[in-house]
Amino acid sequence: MGDQERGRRRPFSAGDSAHEPNAKLFRGQANSSASRTLDPRNAPSPKDDRPSTSRQAAACETNTPRGPATGGGNGSNRVQKRMDRFEIVHTRPVEVVSKVGKEGAPIQLLSNYFRLNTTPKWRIVHYHVDLSPEIELLRVRCGILSDHAAALGTGYLFDGKQLFTTKKFEQDITILNGKSKQDINYTITIKFVGFISTAEERFLQVLNLILRRSMKGLNLEQVGRNLFDPHAKVSMREFSLELWPGYETSIRQHERDIMLCSEIAHKVMRTETVYDILVRSSQNPARHQEEFRMNVLGLIVLTDYNNKTYRINDVDFTKSPLATFNCKGRDISFVEYYLTKYNIRIRDHKQPLLVSKNKDKAQNTNANELVILIPELCRVTGLTDNMRSNFQLKRAMADHTQLNPARRIDRLRTFNRRLQTTPESVRVLNDWNMKLDDNLVEIQGRIIAPQKILFLNNRISAGDQADWTRYFRDNQMFTTPSQGLDRWAVIAPQRNSRDLRTLLQNLNQVARGMGFQIRSPRETMIYDDRTGSYIQALDDCARIDPQLILCLVPNNNTERYSSIKKRGCVDKAIPTQVVTTKATQRGMSVATKIAIQINCKLGYTPWMIDLPLSGLMTIGFDIAKCTRDRSKAYGALVASMDQQQNSTYFSTVAECSAYDVMANNLWPMMLKALRQYHREHQKLPARIVFYRDGVSSGSLKHLVEYEVKDIVEKLEAEYQRAGSTTPPMLAYIVVSRAANTRLFTSSKQNPPPGTVVDDVITMPERYDFYLVSQAVRHGSVAPTSYNVVHSKIRLSPDQIQKLTYKMCHLYYNWSGTTRVPAVCQYAKKLATLVGTNIHAIPQNALEKKFYYL
Amino acid sequence: MSDVDPNDMVYCPYDKAHKMLRKKLQQHIIKCREYFKDEIELMVCPFNKAHLIPEPEFFQHTKTCDDRKIIAHYQHNAAAELVEDTKHEKIETEENWDDDDVPDYDPEAYASNANVLRSAKGIFPAQRKAFVKEERKRLLEEQSDDDTANDNINLPQAMPIPTRITTSTSNRSAPYKLSNRQR
């Protein structure tokens, strides 16, 4: 519905300079009623003096229904008309709108994109290939077709079913004969499907196919979707792991050019086989089978001999590799089969067999084909939880996977050079007239100036590295409870009483410096560290109606943590703070953090930023899966109140289905936030910025249809009900952290926090920008991508970018900037806490406090 | 990660013949809502947007809906007390954007006039075909009307150099919109 509004744009003013030397200008004429009725298809203007008007009307008239068959308007001499465009006197002033901002210090950046200097200029012909008798094996299919290479035109592409080439056969259906190496005759039926012109999206798919094809020349192996280089593998024997470096590539239309995005990826390959698990789990003979099953079922395994992955669905203990199966008309044992086919000698002839349902095949042929696998030959993929929590493993992996900008640039250039010098790859690219630029794309970015951090009596600059930890020593927090923390309780095991002393002493000391009064708490000593004892003590403490309960725990046991949180949030509505004894020994810096957290958990604000908008509500939304019940998920919504007067947040959680990508009950949650805002400020927010996390770019279109339009409609209704004449100015921004984009400064460093890129590597069909908000010390920074899918906020791109950056300064668990706006980070934190620990909806009484920090 | 369970299959509320995986339902509803908009009218449950219910059962549903608890919890659970001392003096700011009224950028308007490839995702196949045809005209100034009419032209042929800005309209802001559909 975005288009109906456009008629109401404000008139042309000098500020919208029409001669801005900016590439991203478009001339959209404000709709006059005259141009609205003039539809270029119904009234194609034959004369040269009108086309531009109709064209622009057309550009604006996106909501006119139209039949698919009606062709487009004007004739062929459009080049001529284009020249005339600039001389036309418009009845209404032209507005120039661009998504490129202007503010900030310019910075020269490099990004991991390569331009495609030339692309195929021909129309590509798309065929469908059938073989009879049918054969599934891709290699055989390609082999049979390759005999006709000359007839198919140079550099044809064949993916097993679809054939792309530049040559057009006379007939729609061409029949050829082929022979496989086994001397079986095949009939090849090549059916014409259509042309792919350079003007449609499928063309990009073909370009991607061509690239894939040329990358094959580098001897890469495909694992999953990406290509990896097994020859350059790094083995980490102490963890029985291998790291395969690889490339994630995609060719897409970017702001002006078609570009190749290439990112260095790593595949973690475990050298451990299922057989190793078998050996490990046989310690207890009575439970051996059961234990092995438990460890193995559901695992994804990779078989080296054909480089395929399978999911293990069952274990067959009754059979062994000596069992026979029917292969090409004769019975053959697995041992013999692997020896003759792959030259692999199976060592243990007594191991059980694994059974896997091949899902892809089941979908294609409707036959639930079972695949039998040998444990010895199945490599386990993925990391176990145990490995994930292994700090040393993480460190060792980070050494290889976290590349600093210089190394990453180097690797990208090597990739480019290899691609352009390996004869095999060059041939494919040349055949298709594809030429890749040698250099990484250069972009002009901008750095948003460091923001001001507001303390009670002071405002300081966040600095170039956007870190203000050190300022807590001599600045008071922005708001603290006027009575201080006067009614609170601590629970600690008897034998940790010394730790408790230090903690309380440190807390008191740092809090005083921050202008936060902490009185002595009611202390409850327990005699052991069992969960039950904590809960009992918690119930006991709850009787004095404390503002907060602090639990000192000996270690981070998840079960105990969950129980404490659950009791506090669901049963009692008391914020709880869990501190491990290890943290108490870390002295003042940790005590400072805890003091800030406690202040937040009471609902007060440690610091603020200089926010130039009043009546603004920022909302963050995220979904986290429930760890206990896989079909459930929790969606959390965190909304700020008017932060110029009362910088507090409102939060709400709802249970939703884990299957749904888009939120079904977003509106009830948003309504709660709006009601709360009204309760506090006696009016509804004038502007709303919605930061939505957790949507992939694939479902963007659906998101707009399903979520955004609904919200817009309901907001309008709600504002009308509240007696407001105008709906709120809303911006719906999709935040995504998973982008493959990297940015480097020209001196091969990470760009500083506040760097914005809104041109060249962005997408023309989106209102998007990249923002580096966080300071990164290891590896190379991944900018966060923001996509404004709905914008009626009446702010300039500069302002949206700046506002977003400001919002990254408000995550109170971290005295620096975060990767995403604070509301998003809070929503994520809350959703994760509820999904992994609480598993129930917390009490409403806590909704204004950061009990989830 | 989870295995496909037959229980995970759901039916489209518009047409019981449409059976799909649970996770596909949301996407599917968008399409069917448009497709059946003149024939079947379903009411949307106020608690969960995926619940589309025929009118006679609607009232009953609103009473028994599982997601009613979102509102029930809100109503029956004491709300947070308003605390006065979290409020602070109005922050003095260096800038004030309150009265700014800048036109919003519309990427679609830009893309439809720029020399770029546009994607045709999320629209009905017939629309997509028309869209592709439109795009060819727009970007390549191709006069050929039909793919089939082109069969006799010798290929490969060099394309004319793409030029910017030609006529184009699209109804892409409203995907799945059927215009001249015959029913």
Side-chain angles (χ1 to χ4, degrees), chain A residues 19 25 54 66 70 125 141 169 200 229 234 259 277 279 293 312 401 501 512 534 671 716 722 725 819 832:
Chain A
H19 301 290
L25 303 182
S54 67
R66 81 129 80 134
T70 42
V125 198
R141 287 181 81 101
F169 295 117
E200 58 197 282
D229 194 347
V234 182
M259 290 198 277
I277 298 180
V279 174
R293 261 218 177 88
I312 300 175
T401 54
R501 279 295 126 238
R512 214 177 311 128
Y534 276 98
L671 192 63
E716 231 160 278
T725 45
R819 292 184 66 173
T832 322

Side-chain angles (χ1 to χ4, degrees), chain B residues 141-160:
Chain B
E141 312 231 324
E142 200 173 90
Q143 282 312 296
S144 61
D145 307 307
D146 255 338
D147 285 342
T148 46
N150 248 325
D151 279 5
N152 301 327
I153 298 172
N154 280 331
L155 289 167
Q157 76 179 35
M159 287 289 176

Side-chain angles (χ1 to χ4, degrees), chain A residues 429-682:
Chain A
L429 292 176
N430 282 347
D431 279 347
W432 288 90
N433 189 26
M434 237 162 87
K435 180 89 185 75
L436 215 58
D437 200 303
D438 295 333
N439 298 310
L440 292 168
V441 76
E442 284 180 26
I443 321 160
Q444 174 88 33
R446 289 169 296 114
I447 308 172
I448 300 175
Q451 298 298 309
K452 293 272 185 304
I453 302 298
L454 274 59
F455 291 103
L456 183 60
N457 302 315
N458 203 359
R459 41 177 81 190
I460 50 115
S461 165
D464 290 338
Q465 285 307 305
D467 190 342
W468 50 94
T469 314
R470 62 180 182 280
Y471 295 110
F472 277 101
R473 228 167 273 161
D474 34 40
N475 282 295
Q476 303 200 340
M477 287 197 278
F478 194 65
T479 60
T480 47
S482 50
Q483 299 295 315
L485 179 60
D486 54 353
R487 194 159 23 81
W488 67 302
V490 288
I491 298 166
Q494 187 91 62
R495 67 186 142 95
N496 295 112
S497 52
R498 261 234 324 264
D499 292 322
L500 182 68
R501 279 295 126 238
T502 1
L503 176 70
L504 289 177
Q505 217 167 8
N506 288 348
L507 262 182
N508 229 313
Q509 194 180 335
V510 292
R512 214 177 311 128
M514 290 190 286
F516 180 30
Q517 298 301 321
I518 297 184
R519 305 274 167 81
S520 30
R522 176 198 153 132
E523 284 171 33
T524 307
M525 288 307 188
I526 49 180
Y527 298 101
D528 53 39
D529 58 3
R530 280 181 314 177
T531 310
S533 317
Y534 276 98
I535 297 302
Q536 209 174 7
L538 217 105
D539 288 343
D540 204 36
C541 292
R543 253 177 256 141
I544 61 160
D545 186 28
Q547 291 162 290
L548 181 114
I549 297 176
L550 187 145
C551 299
L552 191 68
V553 294
N555 55 34
N556 42 15
N557 174 332
T558 326
E559 189 235 330
R560 183 192 309 133
Y561 181 79
S562 298
S563 305
I564 293 173
K565 286 289 163 192
K566 205 167 175 176
R567 191 41 66 109
C569 302
V570 182
D571 303 336
K572 295 284 185 225
I574 301 166
T576 46
Q577 172 83 41
V578 179
V579 182
T580 57
T581 46
K582 209 169 149 198
T584 61
Q585 290 143 14
R586 295 244 205 92
M588 290 304 181
S589 64
V590 169
T592 311
K593 276 190 178 160
I594 295 173
I596 297 172
Q597 268 194 14
I598 290 178
N599 192 36
C600 288
K601 285 187 177 179
L602 299 176
Y604 297 84
T605 316
W607 68 81
M608 249 312 277
I609 40 135
D610 181 357
L611 187 74
L613 271 175
S614 66
L616 170 79
M617 182 187 225
T618 48
I619 303 178
F621 182 77
D622 206 346
I623 297 180
K625 286 200 171 146
C626 182
T627 47
R628 195 186 280 171
D629 182 352
R630 272 178 151 193
S631 68
K632 271 192 204 162
Y634 290 95
L637 180 138
V638 175
S640 74
M641 301 290 114
D642 188 342
Q643 290 185 302
Q644 276 201 336
Q645 294 166 30
N646 184 8
S647 59
T648 52
Y649 294 82
F650 169 85
S651 66
T652 173
V653 186
E655 193 186 303
C656 43
S657 153
Y659 306 111
D660 294 332
V661 185
M662 287 157 290
N664 281 329
N665 25 38
L666 189 56
W667 176 246
M669 297 168 80
M670 202 164 155
L671 192 63
K672 288 184 201 173
L674 287 171
R675 295 268 158 93
Q676 180 72 23
Y677 190 97
H678 195 270
R679 222 178 112 205
E680 286 184 28
H681 301 289
Q682 286 76 48

Side-chain angles (χ1 to χ4, degrees), chain A residues 122-129 152 156-169 171-174 189-197 200-203 205-206 209 432, chain B residues 136 147 151 155:
Chain A
W122 311 292
R123 210 156 20 169
I124 295 159
V125 198
H126 180 192
Y127 296 100
H128 184 85
V129 177
L152 296 170
Y156 69 92
L157 291 173
F158 182 56
D159 72 351
K161 284 243 154 60
Q162 300 182 90
L163 171 73
F164 300 97
T165 177
T166 48
K167 190 171 173 178
K168 173 78 181 78
F169 295 117
Q171 289 92 24
D172 273 0
I173 294 176
T174 312
T189 316
I190 302 177
K191 213 192 289 169
F192 170 73
V193 177
F195 293 105
I196 297 174
S197 71
E200 58 197 282
E201 212 192 2
R202 274 190 302 169
F203 178 60
Q205 290 170 12
V206 176
L209 269 176
W432 288 90
Chain B
R136 285 186 195 175
D147 285 342
D151 279 5
L155 289 167

Side-chain angles (χ1 to χ4, degrees), chain A residues 398-417:
Chain A
D399 281 348
H400 296 287
T401 54
Q402 284 191 349
L403 304 172
N404 62 24
R407 260 173 87 195
R408 197 173 282 267
I409 291 174
D410 207 48
R411 294 274 285 275
L412 287 167
R413 290 203 171 126
T414 313
F415 167 62
N416 188 307
R417 205 174 46 240

